[in-house]
Amino acid sequence: MDPPPDSAGEFRNWLELPRDVIALIFLKLSAIEILTSAQRVCSPWLKLCKDPSLWLSVDMRKPDNKWVDNQLERMCRDAVDRSCGQLVEINVEKFGTDELLRYIADSSSQLKRLGLVRCYGVSDEGLSGVAAKLPLLEELAISYCSLSNEALEAVGRCCPHLKSLKFNCLRYGKFDEEAFAIAANMSELRSLQLFGNMLTKDGLQAILDGCPHLESLDLRRCFSLSLVGNLGRRCVQQIKHLRLPHDSTDDYEFNGGWLQYVRLRLRWQQCF
């Protein structure tokens, strides 16, 4: 069936749209959509898809299951190359590795925002090793990766401009190590999310002392905390935007990951 005509009774020729209009449309597409579809339409679109301005931000979260990890890694490297060193933000889900993280850091000295989701191939040594190559980093979001306080300490030492940290990882029995690392090395933080963390009142006290500029603190599902008495009052007085352990998780973007966390934690407890 032929496509319906537009209001003028003619078919729309998308190839005749102004270049700046097409570029705005492409900015709404994911990196995967551009690399696997848009650039294959015609030569002018291929040329536009190589413009570094389209690759200042690269989002490769929630990739289609039809792509295997090595394909996604090649696409990610291609996207980084196309930024020509101007990459400002990148988010990677599931297929991230130490090697890929090094490639990103070596090619992206202007990087300000980094997100890693379920990247079990990224280790403490891997993130610690590239931290010094990301001196402008302002936002770091780590969710469900196998990382610990060692990586946080390195990032805190090497990234003095860090203002926002999300650290939502599956770790058991470590309690306040991550909190102490944040308190000792990230004094400029304005926003902190520790969803489902095992920190206690000692770790929270250290964060409040070591991060005097903190304005937003998300402690949802941090059930080892007791926010009664002076500590609870201090949180209310010092933090403008406070999420408490029993607050709703309806707006938490990884609710499925949280359910997985609960199941794994229950299994861990059954081993003892």
Side-chain angles (χ1 to χ4, degrees), residues 55-81:
W55 304 97
L56 303 183
S57 177
V58 174
D59 191 349
M60 298 193 68
R61 289 173 294 185
K62 300 180 180 177
D64 193 310
N65 289 332
K66 72 179 181 180
W67 305 108
V68 297
D69 287 357
N70 62 339
Q71 292 175 315
L72 291 166
E73 181 168 346
R74 285 198 299 271
M75 283 189 274
C76 186
R77 288 172 180 254
D78 193 1
V80 171
D81 290 342

mmCIF file of all heavy atoms in Angstrom, residues 55-81:
data_model
loop_
_atom_site.group_PDB
_atom_site.id
_atom_site.type_symbol
_atom_site.label_atom_id
_atom_site.label_comp_id
_atom_site.label_asym_id
_atom_site.label_seq_id
_atom_site.Cartn_x
_atom_site.Cartn_y
_atom_site.Cartn_z
ATOM 1 N N TRP A 55 27.554 13.302 18.176
ATOM 2 C CA TRP A 55 28.101 12.285 19.074
ATOM 3 C C TRP A 55 28.667 12.874 20.361
ATOM 4 O O TRP A 55 29.530 12.275 20.994
ATOM 5 C CB TRP A 55 29.171 11.480 18.338
ATOM 6 C CG TRP A 55 28.631 10.872 17.076
ATOM 7 C CD1 TRP A 55 28.732 11.366 15.812
ATOM 8 C CD2 TRP A 55 27.845 9.683 16.978
ATOM 9 N NE1 TRP A 55 28.073 10.560 14.922
ATOM 10 C CE2 TRP A 55 27.516 9.513 15.609
ATOM 11 C CE3 TRP A 55 27.395 8.738 17.898
ATOM 12 C CZ2 TRP A 55 26.750 8.433 15.160
ATOM 13 C CZ3 TRP A 55 26.636 7.670 17.446
ATOM 14 C CH2 TRP A 55 26.331 7.523 16.094
ATOM 15 N N LEU A 56 28.166 14.034 20.761
ATOM 16 C CA LEU A 56 28.588 14.602 22.043
ATOM 17 C C LEU A 56 28.031 13.777 23.203
ATOM 18 O O LEU A 56 28.631 13.700 24.274
ATOM 19 C CB LEU A 56 28.121 16.051 22.169
ATOM 20 C CG LEU A 56 28.582 17.018 21.075
ATOM 21 C CD1 LEU A 56 28.107 18.428 21.381
ATOM 22 C CD2 LEU A 56 30.093 16.974 20.925
ATOM 23 N N SER A 57 26.858 13.183 22.978
ATOM 24 C CA SER A 57 26.227 12.323 23.972
ATOM 25 C C SER A 57 25.889 10.984 23.319
ATOM 26 O O SER A 57 25.230 10.956 22.279
ATOM 27 C CB SER A 57 24.961 12.983 24.519
ATOM 28 O OG SER A 57 24.306 12.127 25.439
ATOM 29 N N VAL A 58 26.330 9.901 23.915
ATOM 30 C CA VAL A 58 26.102 8.553 23.380
ATOM 31 C C VAL A 58 25.392 7.719 24.436
ATOM 32 O O VAL A 58 25.917 7.512 25.534
ATOM 33 C CB VAL A 58 27.431 7.877 22.983
ATOM 34 C CG1 VAL A 58 27.190 6.433 22.575
ATOM 35 C CG2 VAL A 58 28.106 8.656 21.860
ATOM 36 N N ASP A 59 24.188 7.275 24.105
ATOM 37 C CA ASP A 59 23.403 6.476 25.043
ATOM 38 C C ASP A 59 23.215 5.073 24.472
ATOM 39 O O ASP A 59 22.538 4.888 23.473
ATOM 40 C CB ASP A 59 22.042 7.127 25.275
ATOM 41 C CG ASP A 59 21.291 6.490 26.449
ATOM 42 O OD1 ASP A 59 21.744 5.429 26.932
ATOM 43 O OD2 ASP A 59 20.281 7.047 26.879
ATOM 44 N N MET A 60 23.830 4.101 25.116
ATOM 45 C CA MET A 60 23.708 2.714 24.681
ATOM 46 C C MET A 60 23.171 1.851 25.816
ATOM 47 O O MET A 60 23.603 0.732 26.045
ATOM 48 C CB MET A 60 25.051 2.195 24.165
ATOM 49 C CG MET A 60 25.537 2.973 22.950
ATOM 50 S SD MET A 60 26.919 2.210 22.061
ATOM 51 C CE MET A 60 26.125 0.756 21.364
ATOM 52 N N ARG A 61 22.194 2.404 26.531
ATOM 53 C CA ARG A 61 21.506 1.631 27.544
ATOM 54 C C ARG A 61 20.357 0.853 26.917
ATOM 55 O O ARG A 61 19.841 1.220 25.868
ATOM 56 C CB ARG A 61 20.949 2.552 28.636
ATOM 57 C CG ARG A 61 22.033 3.165 29.523
ATOM 58 C CD ARG A 61 21.448 4.179 30.466
ATOM 59 N NE ARG A 61 20.913 5.333 29.740
ATOM 60 C CZ ARG A 61 20.424 6.416 30.349
ATOM 61 N NH1 ARG A 61 20.405 6.477 31.659
ATOM 62 N NH2 ARG A 61 19.972 7.428 29.638
ATOM 63 N N LYS A 62 19.974 -0.259 27.606
ATOM 64 C CA LYS A 62 18.863 -1.092 27.185
ATOM 65 C C LYS A 62 18.934 -1.448 25.700
ATOM 66 O O LYS A 62 18.008 -1.196 24.934
ATOM 67 C CB LYS A 62 17.542 -0.392 27.498
ATOM 68 C CG LYS A 62 17.374 -0.108 28.977
ATOM 69 C CD LYS A 62 16.067 0.596 29.277
ATOM 70 C CE LYS A 62 15.945 0.871 30.763
ATOM 71 N NZ LYS A 62 14.703 1.616 31.091
ATOM 72 N N PRO A 63 20.053 -1.988 25.242
ATOM 73 C CA PRO A 63 20.168 -2.347 23.824
ATOM 74 C C PRO A 63 19.251 -3.493 23.449
ATOM 75 O O PRO A 63 18.894 -4.324 24.285
ATOM 76 C CB PRO A 63 21.638 -2.754 23.687
ATOM 77 C CG PRO A 63 22.023 -3.215 25.060
ATOM 78 C CD PRO A 63 21.257 -2.348 26.008
ATOM 79 N N ASP A 64 18.882 -3.542 22.187
ATOM 80 C CA ASP A 64 18.038 -4.623 21.670
ATOM 81 C C ASP A 64 18.752 -5.958 21.859
ATOM 82 O O ASP A 64 19.948 -6.091 21.608
ATOM 83 C CB ASP A 64 17.780 -4.377 20.177
ATOM 84 C CG ASP A 64 16.664 -5.264 19.648
ATOM 85 O OD1 ASP A 64 16.725 -6.486 19.889
ATOM 86 O OD2 ASP A 64 15.760 -4.732 19.003
ATOM 87 N N ASN A 65 18.015 -6.951 22.308
ATOM 88 C CA ASN A 65 18.613 -8.263 22.594
ATOM 89 C C ASN A 65 19.167 -8.960 21.358
ATOM 90 O O ASN A 65 19.858 -9.966 21.467
ATOM 91 C CB ASN A 65 17.575 -9.169 23.271
ATOM 92 C CG ASN A 65 17.280 -8.735 24.693
ATOM 93 O OD1 ASN A 65 18.131 -8.150 25.351
ATOM 94 N ND2 ASN A 65 16.077 -9.020 25.158
ATOM 95 N N LYS A 66 18.845 -8.442 20.167
ATOM 96 C CA LYS A 66 19.347 -9.117 18.967
ATOM 97 C C LYS A 66 20.840 -8.858 18.758
ATOM 98 O O LYS A 66 21.471 -9.522 17.940
ATOM 99 C CB LYS A 66 18.560 -8.666 17.744
ATOM 100 C CG LYS A 66 18.837 -7.243 17.282
ATOM 101 C CD LYS A 66 18.010 -6.921 16.042
ATOM 102 C CE LYS A 66 18.271 -5.512 15.522
ATOM 103 N NZ LYS A 66 17.480 -5.203 14.319
ATOM 104 N N TRP A 67 21.402 -7.894 19.491
ATOM 105 C CA TRP A 67 22.825 -7.582 19.340
ATOM 106 C C TRP A 67 23.625 -8.300 20.415
ATOM 107 O O TRP A 67 23.293 -8.256 21.593
ATOM 108 C CB TRP A 67 23.062 -6.078 19.444
ATOM 109 C CG TRP A 67 22.252 -5.263 18.479
ATOM 110 C CD1 TRP A 67 21.191 -4.461 18.760
ATOM 111 C CD2 TRP A 67 22.444 -5.193 17.059
ATOM 112 N NE1 TRP A 67 20.703 -3.895 17.616
ATOM 113 C CE2 TRP A 67 21.451 -4.319 16.561
ATOM 114 C CE3 TRP A 67 23.348 -5.776 16.172
ATOM 115 C CZ2 TRP A 67 21.331 -4.024 15.212
ATOM 116 C CZ3 TRP A 67 23.228 -5.474 14.827
ATOM 117 C CH2 TRP A 67 22.241 -4.625 14.359
ATOM 118 N N VAL A 68 24.706 -8.944 20.021
ATOM 119 C CA VAL A 68 25.587 -9.594 20.989
ATOM 120 C C VAL A 68 26.619 -8.582 21.457
ATOM 121 O O VAL A 68 26.815 -7.525 20.855
ATOM 122 C CB VAL A 68 26.276 -10.831 20.377
ATOM 123 C CG1 VAL A 68 25.240 -11.870 19.999
ATOM 124 C CG2 VAL A 68 27.109 -10.452 19.148
ATOM 125 N N ASP A 69 27.315 -8.933 22.542
ATOM 126 C CA ASP A 69 28.197 -7.959 23.192
ATOM 127 C C ASP A 69 29.289 -7.421 22.278
ATOM 128 O O ASP A 69 29.588 -6.224 22.291
ATOM 129 C CB ASP A 69 28.828 -8.594 24.434
ATOM 130 C CG ASP A 69 27.826 -8.758 25.570
ATOM 131 O OD1 ASP A 69 26.675 -8.316 25.396
ATOM 132 O OD2 ASP A 69 28.193 -9.323 26.615
ATOM 133 N N ASN A 70 29.909 -8.294 21.472
ATOM 134 C CA ASN A 70 31.008 -7.811 20.636
ATOM 135 C C ASN A 70 30.507 -6.854 19.556
ATOM 136 O O ASN A 70 31.211 -5.921 19.155
ATOM 137 C CB ASN A 70 31.782 -8.979 20.026
ATOM 138 C CG ASN A 70 30.940 -9.835 19.105
ATOM 139 O OD1 ASN A 70 29.713 -9.820 19.183
ATOM 140 N ND2 ASN A 70 31.593 -10.588 18.237
ATOM 141 N N GLN A 71 29.274 -7.040 19.082
ATOM 142 C CA GLN A 71 28.693 -6.101 18.122
ATOM 143 C C GLN A 71 28.431 -4.750 18.779
ATOM 144 O O GLN A 71 28.727 -3.693 18.208
ATOM 145 C CB GLN A 71 27.383 -6.659 17.556
ATOM 146 C CG GLN A 71 27.549 -7.871 16.660
ATOM 147 C CD GLN A 71 26.214 -8.447 16.243
ATOM 148 O OE1 GLN A 71 25.302 -8.611 17.048
ATOM 149 N NE2 GLN A 71 26.085 -8.760 14.957
ATOM 150 N N LEU A 72 27.900 -4.783 19.997
ATOM 151 C CA LEU A 72 27.618 -3.552 20.718
ATOM 152 C C LEU A 72 28.907 -2.806 21.049
ATOM 153 O O LEU A 72 28.963 -1.576 20.979
ATOM 154 C CB LEU A 72 26.844 -3.862 22.002
ATOM 155 C CG LEU A 72 25.412 -4.350 21.790
ATOM 156 C CD1 LEU A 72 24.849 -4.943 23.077
ATOM 157 C CD2 LEU A 72 24.528 -3.213 21.301
ATOM 158 N N GLU A 73 29.949 -3.553 21.393
ATOM 159 C CA GLU A 73 31.216 -2.897 21.704
ATOM 160 C C GLU A 73 31.797 -2.231 20.467
ATOM 161 O O GLU A 73 32.326 -1.116 20.541
ATOM 162 C CB GLU A 73 32.216 -3.906 22.278
ATOM 163 C CG GLU A 73 33.547 -3.260 22.637
ATOM 164 C CD GLU A 73 34.446 -4.146 23.454
ATOM 165 O OE1 GLU A 73 33.964 -5.175 23.985
ATOM 166 O OE2 GLU A 73 35.639 -3.806 23.580
ATOM 167 N N ARG A 74 31.697 -2.872 19.300
ATOM 168 C CA ARG A 74 32.194 -2.254 18.067
ATOM 169 C C ARG A 74 31.409 -0.981 17.753
ATOM 170 O O ARG A 74 31.993 0.036 17.353
ATOM 171 C CB ARG A 74 32.090 -3.247 16.897
ATOM 172 C CG ARG A 74 33.138 -4.344 16.913
ATOM 173 C CD ARG A 74 33.262 -4.997 15.535
ATOM 174 N NE ARG A 74 32.004 -5.611 15.113
ATOM 175 C CZ ARG A 74 31.658 -6.864 15.382
ATOM 176 N NH1 ARG A 74 32.468 -7.636 16.085
ATOM 177 N NH2 ARG A 74 30.515 -7.360 14.943
ATOM 178 N N MET A 75 30.101 -1.025 17.930
ATOM 179 C CA MET A 75 29.293 0.162 17.687
ATOM 180 C C MET A 75 29.644 1.282 18.658
ATOM 181 O O MET A 75 29.700 2.455 18.284
ATOM 182 C CB MET A 75 27.810 -0.185 17.781
ATOM 183 C CG MET A 75 27.268 -0.912 16.564
ATOM 184 S SD MET A 75 25.461 -1.081 16.578
ATOM 185 C CE MET A 75 25.275 -2.581 17.534
ATOM 186 N N CYS A 76 29.889 0.921 19.892
ATOM 187 C CA CYS A 76 30.243 1.919 20.895
ATOM 188 C C CYS A 76 31.576 2.582 20.550
ATOM 189 O O CYS A 76 31.710 3.804 20.633
ATOM 190 C CB CYS A 76 30.309 1.268 22.275
ATOM 191 S SG CYS A 76 30.562 2.438 23.627
ATOM 192 N N ARG A 77 32.553 1.791 20.148
ATOM 193 C CA ARG A 77 33.841 2.353 19.747
ATOM 194 C C ARG A 77 33.686 3.265 18.528
ATOM 195 O O ARG A 77 34.330 4.328 18.447
ATOM 196 C CB ARG A 77 34.834 1.224 19.438
ATOM 197 C CG ARG A 77 35.330 0.484 20.676
ATOM 198 C CD ARG A 77 36.146 -0.733 20.301
ATOM 199 N NE ARG A 77 36.638 -1.456 21.453
ATOM 200 C CZ ARG A 77 37.894 -1.457 21.867
ATOM 201 N NH1 ARG A 77 38.812 -0.778 21.213
ATOM 202 N NH2 ARG A 77 38.262 -2.140 22.933
ATOM 203 N N ASP A 78 32.837 2.865 17.586
ATOM 204 C CA ASP A 78 32.589 3.678 16.407
ATOM 205 C C ASP A 78 31.990 5.019 16.816
ATOM 206 O O ASP A 78 32.379 6.086 16.314
ATOM 207 C CB ASP A 78 31.651 2.941 15.454
ATOM 208 C CG ASP A 78 31.597 3.569 14.069
ATOM 209 O OD1 ASP A 78 32.315 4.570 13.836
ATOM 210 O OD2 ASP A 78 30.855 3.058 13.206
ATOM 211 N N ALA A 79 31.028 4.986 17.740
ATOM 212 C CA ALA A 79 30.402 6.218 18.215
ATOM 213 C C ALA A 79 31.419 7.128 18.892
ATOM 214 O O ALA A 79 31.423 8.347 18.682
ATOM 215 C CB ALA A 79 29.263 5.883 19.178
ATOM 216 N N VAL A 80 32.286 6.545 19.706
ATOM 217 C CA VAL A 80 33.328 7.328 20.376
ATOM 218 C C VAL A 80 34.268 7.948 19.354
ATOM 219 O O VAL A 80 34.641 9.128 19.455
ATOM 220 C CB VAL A 80 34.109 6.440 21.366
ATOM 221 C CG1 VAL A 80 35.337 7.172 21.897
ATOM 222 C CG2 VAL A 80 33.207 6.016 22.519
ATOM 223 N N ASP A 81 34.663 7.185 18.339
ATOM 224 C CA ASP A 81 35.547 7.706 17.295
ATOM 225 C C ASP A 81 34.911 8.888 16.568
ATOM 226 O O ASP A 81 35.579 9.876 16.252
ATOM 227 C CB ASP A 81 35.875 6.603 16.289
ATOM 228 C CG ASP A 81 36.771 5.529 16.874
ATOM 229 O OD1 ASP A 81 37.401 5.786 17.911
ATOM 230 O OD2 ASP A 81 36.827 4.429 16.288
#
